[in-house]
Amino acid sequence: MYRRSSLALFIFCALFPFSVNAYNVVGFDYEPYYFKSGSEGIQGACYEILQKICQMEEASCKFKIVNLREALSRLKSGEADIGCPLGPSPQRESALFYSDKVFKTGYSFFGLPEKVRKIKSYDDLAGMSIGVISPSMTEVSLQRVHEFTDKKFKILPETSVTVTLRKAENKNYSAVYANRDVALAWIEKTKSALVEVPKLGEETYYSIVFSKKSVAMAQVRRINSHLEELRKNNFLQTVCEKYKLTLSTPVNAPAPARTPSKTLRP
């Protein structure tokens, strides 16, 4: 009997080596996805979705907000278990598991009306200075545009999207390249005069990510099943509507592609 019990325990531990009832969740200031709102504390679409998942997991979750660089560092080291939102990249995927796609989003150029009127194509960026959050996949996307235009504009890296938007508003540089949802939320909140450059940019998506150092693939699969349940009962759609975000298409459905005015990738 003792041997059978020990064997069962060994099999359980092998299958679920990271079975826990607590998660450390980390995110960065990226309204409307994840942000701190005065006395209300952390808010955002990622926060509400992860809160619900923690309830479904019957797990105690601690939420923290840091800058993007530190969030990535904590996830890679296993100091943090879960992060949101993050876009795809081969480098990140070497250290992180990704959930199914949650948000459909994209990158766009923004500037003051007098600047935006002059931008009809990527060629019109020549001679301009463009601010972007760094390091980020937004910056990687902008670098693709930079190569496409034969490096005819200048990239100015900044520590946050908010800094880039404020500097564009103050005419410190020509325009910014930013996540469209984040920029539009900031413009609405601050009543900024910045406007979006139409039709230029790239689409992407954001997921929930998990540290490979502290979370097992079995847990990721289980959380993906929670996400699918939350999709079916319209919880995800309700959260996206609240924060003016777009829910990604289901895993097995083809995602509609945005047609750029010029192709950036070969």
Side-chain angles (χ1 to χ4, degrees), residues 57-264:
E57 285 280 284
E58 298 182 346
S60 171
C61 292
K62 294 180 180 179
F63 292 85
K64 195 169 187 67
I65 188 165
V66 295
N67 62 46
L68 175 57
R69 189 186 295 273
E70 186 176 349
L72 288 169
S73 176
R74 290 184 182 213
L75 286 163
K76 286 190 288 185
S77 70
E79 184 181 349
D81 307 302
I82 301 175
C84 181
L86 281 177
S89 87
Q91 294 75 27
R92 291 176 180 178
E93 288 167 21
S94 68
L96 307 172
F97 293 123
Y98 275 69
S99 74
D100 293 336
K101 299 174 185 178
V102 180
F103 306 104
K104 178 186 172 185
T105 186
Y107 310 118
S108 288
F109 293 91
F110 292 84
L112 292 170
E114 58 266 29
K115 294 288 186 182
V116 168
R117 282 194 294 268
K118 300 175 183 178
I119 306 173
K120 306 297 183 184
S121 70
Y122 292 111
D123 291 334
D124 296 327
L125 299 172
M128 292 189 174
S129 53
I130 310 295
V132 67
I133 183 175
S134 175
S136 68
M137 292 310 297
T138 316
E139 183 183 26
V140 172
S141 175
L142 182 60
Q143 287 168 346
R144 286 194 287 268
V145 179
H146 198 229
E147 290 294 330
F148 181 74
T149 61
D150 297 323
K151 301 182 179 179
K152 289 182 179 178
F153 64 87
K154 186 177 182 180
I155 296 176
L156 299 176
E158 298 287 357
T159 56
S160 75
V161 178
T162 301
V163 170
T164 66
L165 292 165
R166 283 177 179 161
K167 285 192 173 183
E169 191 175 47
N170 293 332
K171 302 182 181 180
N172 294 104
Y173 39 63
S174 310
V176 304
Y177 193 63
N179 176 275
R180 184 174 184 272
D181 299 312
V182 175
L184 290 175
W186 185 86
I187 289 168
E188 180 180 356
K189 183 177 180 179
T190 63
K191 296 180 172 55
S192 171
L194 296 180
V195 295
E196 183 178 7
V197 176
K199 299 181 181 179
L200 300 188
E202 289 188 327
E203 277 194 354
T204 189
Y205 66 86
Y206 286 153
S207 298
I208 298 167
V209 299
F210 309 86
S211 173
K212 290 185 177 181
K213 289 284 184 70
S214 60
V215 179
M217 192 62 209
Q219 289 171 278
V220 178
R221 293 193 187 100
R222 192 169 65 240
I223 289 174
N224 271 331
S225 70
H226 295 328
L227 284 171
E228 183 59 24
E229 182 180 343
L230 294 176
R231 182 188 296 275
K232 289 178 179 177
N233 67 20
N234 287 325
F235 178 86
L236 295 183
Q237 183 62 43
T238 300
V239 171
C240 283
E241 288 175 358
K242 176 180 177 180
Y243 290 99
K244 300 181 180 179
L245 298 171
T246 302
L247 182 63
S248 71
T249 52
V251 176
N252 296 322
R258 178 179 178 180
T259 304
S261 58
K262 290 187 177 181
T263 302
L264 298 183

